[in-house]
């Protein structure tokens, strides 16, 4: 079998690879996930974390290890005995009384000498009063259990500026938690879609068709016959079928079964896996190659409207506009071909030849695609290549401001019906936050929490029994920050932060609610 995931076979078989450098060795595993482009984005990032409590440092740990460029902890608190007992990035009793931010930064930096970190011991309120623009200097902001009044101020500040960084809001109490990503617009080229790009077997380009039809199975020896790539087998078989069926592909179930039997009948030996692959991939012959519906929807995006497009300097939307024109004006009216091929049974010679055919055609279509690009916008060649390679998985996400979910009656009612337990956890955490403002320093009671929930949803709303369970957990330990909850949140939030920073993979949209009592998660809104 031929592995073609990271590079084409011709490169893999003809180029001597030099020994990896120290950075490649250090980040080897994650480079397999987000490649050099993702790593470069991480190393250029500047992260602001509002607090250095146990959860915040756990999140930072999972960002420092993969190599973010710089982080700042904004926290004016001193280490308390409670902090020393639950935060792994403090030195126990020896840290008590010291700046919590400075202690956390010092110990976090020991984990990766390629990362820079700063402790800022100013108060949040003083910065909001005198230096609001400072928050916009970061790539991403993360808050944990930030006081509701301050959170609202920050959320409003960032939502009012379309160029402001995303804000990840994390709330937790005992074994219950949630987080939410507030952002304006998030474009993704490398979504790592599980859907593979089309091989265009149903609409073969001229060079592929010509070569497939030139193959003569009778003149092949056993080795060559058993290693002919299934792409050739299918293209040749489909052309033969169309000649005897009025130019039509197999349409009915019986016709498709007959077509598959015809492919297997070409086997000389029962162990010829390439013909078995061709039979398994036969659906490609009658599955029409066209623009995926998700991509077609993007062509109607408001950002492509003439007025908005003329003002936009974002390369993504200029590339998307060019892609739209390509699919409208160039046969066969689908996405540009990519040279990326799946793994298949083939010998090296046959596979290299197949890859060269696809690569040559992909270069031809890339040249046509570039003629549709706005000449006044400078877009790097590597970005164009990356865009075309991943054109089948493009995504444009538009976020919501923190707190809008509760004001959307239909969405909220739907969540309460579909995810009653998780919605009750969200409500309970919101009630706890409200009581923090209304009754500072007073331990919440079940009655008070339920009253706040009803104030949010309305007095006449019928609530499930799961609300009592959530309220009971928050009443039991409203301010408890448990190490296992902090550890899980650290991994989950850091994972979503990396998606936002690298613009790879698809981040969670809505409230991610975590219940460590029943070990469940759900996304609301």
């Amino acid at each position: 079998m031929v592995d073609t995931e990271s590079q084409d076979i011709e490169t893999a078989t003809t180029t001597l690879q030099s020994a990896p450098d120290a950075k490649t060795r250090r980040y080897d595993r994650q480079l397999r996930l987000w490649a050099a482009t993702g790593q470069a984005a991480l190393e250029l990032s500047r992260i602001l974390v509002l607090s250095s409590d146990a959860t915040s440092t756990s999140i930072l740990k999972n960002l420092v290890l993969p190599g973010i460029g710089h982080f700042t902890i904004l926290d004016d608190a001193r280490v308390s005995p409670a902090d020393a007992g639950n935060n792994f990035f403090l030195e126990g009793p020896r840290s008590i009384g010291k700046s919590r931010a400075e202690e956390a930064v010092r110990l976090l930096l020991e984990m990766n000498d390629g990362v820079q970190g700063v402790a800022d011991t100013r108060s949040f309120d003083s910065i909001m009063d005198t230096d609001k623009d400072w928050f916009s200097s970061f790539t991403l902001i993360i808050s944990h259990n930030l006081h509701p009044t301050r959170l609202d101020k920050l959320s409003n500040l960032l939502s009012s500026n379309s160029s402001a960084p995303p804000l990840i809001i994390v709330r937790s109490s005992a074994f219950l938690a949630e987080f939410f990503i507030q952002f304006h617009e998030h474009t993704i080229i490398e979504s790592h879609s599980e859907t593979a790009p089309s091989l265009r077997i149903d609409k073969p380009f001229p060079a592929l068709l010509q070569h497939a039809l030139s193959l003569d199975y009778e003149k092949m020896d056993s080795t060559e016959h058993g290693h002919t790539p299934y792409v050739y087998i299918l293209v040749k078989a489909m052309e033969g079928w169309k000649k005897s069926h009025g130019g039509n592909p197999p349409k009915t179930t019986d016709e498709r079964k007959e077509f598959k039997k015809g492919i297997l009948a070409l086997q000389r030996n029962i162990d010829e896996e390439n013909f078995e692959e061709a039979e398994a991939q036969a659906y490609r012959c009658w599955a029409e190659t066209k623009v995926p519906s998700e991509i077609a929807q993007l062509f109607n995006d408001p950002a492509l409207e003439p007025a908005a497009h003329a003002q936009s300097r974002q390369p993504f939307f200029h590339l998307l506009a060019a892609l739209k024109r390509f699919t409208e004006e160039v046969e066969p009216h689908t996405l540009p071909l990519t040279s990326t091929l799946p793994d298949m049974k083939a010998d090296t010679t046959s596979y290299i030849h197949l890859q060269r055919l696809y690569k040559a055609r992909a270069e031809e279509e890339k040249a046509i695609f570039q003629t549709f690009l706005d000449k006044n916008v400078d877009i790097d060649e590597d970005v164009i290549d990356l865009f075309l390679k991943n054109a089948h998985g493009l995504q444009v996400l538009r976020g919501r401001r923190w707190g809008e979910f509760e004001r959307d009656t239909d969405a909220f009612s739907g969540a309460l019906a579909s995810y009653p337990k998780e919605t009750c956890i969200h409500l309970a955490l919101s009630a706890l936050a409200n009581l923090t403002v209304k009754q500072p320093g007073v331990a919440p009671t079940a009655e008070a929490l339920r009253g706040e929930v009803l104030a949010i949803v309305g007095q006449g709303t019928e609530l499930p029994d799961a609300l009592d369970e959530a309220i009971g957990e928050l009443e039991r330990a409203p301010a408890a920050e448990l190490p296992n909850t902090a550890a899980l949140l650290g991994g989950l939030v850091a994972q979503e932060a990396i998606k936002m920073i690298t613009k790879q993979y698809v981040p969670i949209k809505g409230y991610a609610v975590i219940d460590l009592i029943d070990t469940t998660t759900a996304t609301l809104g």
Side-chain angles (χ1 to χ4, degrees):
M1 303 292 278
V2 183
D3 183 5
T4 59
E5 286 297 317
S6 59
Q7 59 183 328
D8 62 71
I9 189 170
E10 187 173 8
T11 303
T13 55
T14 59
T15 305
L16 289 175
Q17 300 294 319
S18 59
D21 58 22
K23 181 187 291 186
T24 302
R25 289 196 301 271
R26 171 182 288 182
Y27 299 131
D28 176 66
R29 290 188 178 183
Q30 65 201 49
L31 285 171
R32 298 167 193 256
L33 291 175
W34 52 71
T37 53
Q39 190 62 35
L42 274 181
E43 293 174 7
L44 290 172
S45 67
R46 290 173 48 83
I47 312 301
L48 172 63
V49 179
L50 306 176
S51 179
S52 51
D53 57 22
T55 300
S56 300
T57 54
S58 183
I59 295 168
L60 267 174
K61 176 202 72 172
N62 291 294
L63 294 173
V64 168
L65 286 172
I68 55 171
H70 184 282
F71 70 88
T72 298
I73 294 179
L74 178 64
D75 190 353
D76 60 355
R78 294 280 169 177
V79 178
S80 68
D83 293 325
N86 70 0
N87 194 330
F88 290 112
F89 289 92
L90 297 173
E91 291 187 316
R94 285 184 290 179
S95 293
I96 293 175
K98 298 179 181 178
S99 164
R100 190 168 66 173
E102 291 175 356
E103 286 290 278
V105 168
R106 177 174 62 84
L107 294 170
L108 282 163
L109 290 179
E110 290 181 1
M111 305 186 72
N112 192 337
D113 57 12
V115 174
Q116 297 179 328
V118 171
D120 191 325
T121 57
R122 292 179 294 171
S123 73
F124 175 91
D125 294 332
S126 67
I127 296 174
M128 286 295 292
D129 291 339
T130 62
D131 193 13
K132 290 181 180 179
D133 292 341
W134 180 74
F135 291 103
S136 293
S137 67
F138 295 93
T139 309
L140 177 72
I141 301 174
I142 302 172
S143 75
H144 174 244
N145 284 354
L146 185 63
H147 189 277
T149 303
R150 293 169 179 162
L151 178 57
D152 286 341
K153 287 182 180 179
L154 181 61
S155 174
N156 290 333
L157 173 68
L158 299 179
S159 66
S160 65
N161 180 1
S162 61
S163 62
L167 168 64
I168 302 182
I169 300 156
V170 188
R171 300 195 301 195
S172 69
S173 179
F175 285 112
L176 305 179
E178 68 176 358
F179 65 88
F180 174 87
I181 309 175
Q182 175 180 297
F183 62 94
H184 291 276
E185 182 179 87
H186 188 67
T187 57
I188 308 171
I189 294 177
E190 296 177 89
S191 66
H192 299 267
S193 169
E194 294 183 3
T195 303
S198 172
L199 297 174
R200 288 200 203 158
I201 290 174
D202 63 318
K203 299 176 181 178
F205 51 92
L208 175 61
L209 178 60
Q210 180 182 357
H211 182 77
L213 294 179
S214 72
L215 298 177
D216 188 344
Y217 297 137
E218 298 297 326
K219 293 182 179 180
M220 293 180 181
D221 60 31
S222 297
T223 301
E224 190 178 4
H225 190 269
H227 290 80
T228 301
Y230 73 75
V231 175
Y232 294 147
I233 296 171
L234 289 176
V235 171
K236 185 177 178 68
M238 179 52 67
E239 288 304 305
W241 175 277
K242 286 181 178 180
K243 285 183 179 180
S244 60
H245 291 78
N248 297 314
K251 294 182 177 180
T252 66
T253 301
D254 289 339
E255 285 182 341
R256 291 170 181 177
K257 287 181 179 179
E258 182 184 347
F259 181 77
K260 290 182 177 182
K261 287 180 181 178
I263 292 173
L264 292 178
L266 297 172
Q267 282 182 302
R268 291 181 184 174
N269 304 303
I270 60 172
D271 62 347
E272 287 186 322
E273 296 178 27
N274 55 331
F275 286 93
E276 293 177 359
E277 282 184 340
E279 189 264 347
Q281 298 292 325
Y283 70 91
R284 294 177 182 268
C285 295
W286 51 78
E288 183 185 2
T289 297
K290 57 184 179 180
V291 178
S293 59
E294 298 85 355
I295 306 304
Q297 289 177 5
L298 294 184
F299 293 158
N300 298 318
D301 192 279
L304 296 191
E305 293 293 329
H309 184 60
Q311 297 178 0
S312 174
R313 310 313 296 173
Q314 274 202 55
F316 180 91
F317 289 108
H318 287 280
L319 290 164
L320 187 61
L323 185 65
K324 180 181 180 181
R325 286 191 59 191
F326 181 94
T327 61
E328 291 172 343
E329 300 179 26
V330 180
E331 293 282 352
H333 301 296
T334 187
L335 301 178
L337 192 70
T338 173
S339 61
T340 301
L341 296 178
D343 193 8
M344 65 183 71
K345 184 73 174 182
D347 57 33
T348 302
T349 301
S350 298
Y351 196 92
I352 287 178
H353 186 270
L354 179 65
Q355 179 126 39
R356 283 175 174 166
L357 290 177
Y358 273 84
K359 188 172 184 179
R361 180 64 182 184
E363 288 296 326
E364 292 173 12
E365 296 191 3
K366 174 187 170 184
I368 298 171
F369 172 84
Q370 288 178 297
T371 65
F372 297 130
L373 286 170
D374 187 339
K375 301 298 187 291
N376 296 318
V377 179
D378 186 25
I379 303 177
D380 190 82
E381 189 85 8
D382 291 338
V383 175
I384 296 174
D385 290 337
L386 195 65
F387 183 88
L388 294 178
K389 179 181 178 181
N390 296 280
H392 62 289
L394 304 174
Q395 298 238 7
V396 177
L397 305 180
R398 290 190 171 86
R400 306 175 77 181
R401 196 176 77 81
W402 167 258
E404 283 187 3
F405 175 53
E406 287 84 351
R407 293 189 289 273
D408 186 339
T409 306
D410 292 338
F412 194 80
S413 298
L416 200 55
S418 301
Y419 303 100
K421 182 179 69 172
E422 288 80 6
T423 306
C424 286
I425 291 172
H426 169 73
L427 285 170
L429 288 169
S430 296
L432 180 62
N434 291 349
L435 286 177
T436 303
V437 178
K438 295 179 178 179
Q439 301 176 7
V442 178
T445 63
E447 183 180 359
L449 288 167
R450 175 171 279 277
E452 283 302 317
V453 169
L454 290 174
I456 294 170
V457 301
Q459 293 293 331
T461 305
E462 185 176 347
L463 295 167
D465 294 339
L467 179 63
D468 293 329
E469 298 174 8
I471 286 176
E473 177 67 5
L474 299 192
E475 182 186 29
R476 180 181 70 85
E481 193 176 4
L482 306 180
N484 42 359
T485 305
L488 179 64
L489 278 173
L492 293 176
V493 175
Q495 173 179 270
E496 299 306 307
I498 289 170
K499 291 178 185 178
M500 296 298 293
I501 295 166
T502 61
K503 292 195 171 184
Q504 293 190 34
Y505 300 93
V506 182
I508 287 174
K509 189 177 178 183
Y511 293 81
V513 180
I514 299 104
D515 178 2
L516 278 175
I517 299 172
D518 292 335
T519 62
T520 61
T521 62
T523 304
L524 309 176

